[in-house]
Amino acid sequence: MLNRRKFLGLGLGAIAVASTSNLGAEDFRKSKPKAWTATKVDEAIKEVFGKTAAVESNITLSAPDIAENGAVIPISFKTDLKATKIAVFQDANPEATVAVYTITPNMVLDYAFRIKMQQTGDVIVIAEANGQLYKAVKNVKVTIGGCGG
């Protein structure tokens, strides 16, 4: 049975935990890697890979030509490259980096997921293999209300 003292003790304990959980939040935001706050795709690519020059080949990227709902755009990509890192970027949102994957040997590089885009823009997948950058680019037209306009 829960009496008043236990209730107050549990309530004060919960308040203490909730108030201390945000102590490091501002420090985390300040120390967030620049790749996650970059607003331009080239800036984000440079932060992740250290360079931006990439050859458009060896990656198959699938995305719809027209997305009726910008909140759930299906994206998939695959490659046979022996990549060490793969990243996904887009130029339709305030922050360009979508995902960064560190690849281990013998991984199958075949990914599928959904992203959110505020407006029409490009989705870019960059893979690093043997010191070279490879990319695939797909323009996705985001419509409002699925009207295609």
Side-chain angles (χ1 to χ4, degrees):
M1 183 164 175
L2 189 65
N3 63 30
R4 188 172 73 186
R5 285 184 189 187
K6 285 183 181 177
F7 176 78
L8 289 174
L10 291 172
L12 292 174
I15 290 170
V17 168
S19 66
T20 60
S21 65
N22 285 331
L23 287 178
E26 188 61 35
D27 291 335
F28 174 75
R29 283 186 213 103
K30 288 179 183 175
S31 66
K32 196 175 185 181
K34 290 181 183 179
W36 297 105
T37 58
T39 57
K40 304 282 186 213
V41 172
D42 283 345
E43 292 172 13
I45 293 170
K46 179 116 176 150
E47 287 296 325
V48 172
F49 296 104
K51 55 186 171 183
T52 59
V55 177
E56 194 163 342
S57 70
N58 297 322
I59 302 171
T60 303
L61 170 61
S62 296
D65 291 327
I66 298 175
E68 294 181 2
N69 184 351
V72 288
I73 300 171
I75 303 295
S76 65
F77 64 89
K78 61 183 176 179
T79 183
D80 291 329
L81 291 168
K82 297 296 180 193
T84 55
K85 189 184 297 184
I86 295 179
V88 181
F89 306 94
Q90 55 69 43
D91 63 1
N93 294 339
E95 294 175 342
T97 306
V98 175
V100 178
Y101 301 97
T102 301
I103 309 302
T104 59
N106 302 318
M107 285 181 71
V108 176
L109 303 180
D110 189 353
Y111 293 85
F113 52 93
R114 296 179 186 274
I115 68 171
K116 185 178 206 176
M117 293 175 68
Q118 293 180 346
Q119 60 192 8
T120 298
D122 290 334
V123 175
I124 303 102
V125 176
I126 305 279
E128 183 175 40
N130 299 319
Q132 174 72 41
L133 296 184
Y134 299 88
K135 71 177 177 178
V137 180
K138 171 77 176 182
N139 185 267
V140 178
K141 182 177 181 182
V142 176
T143 62
I144 298 174
C147 298

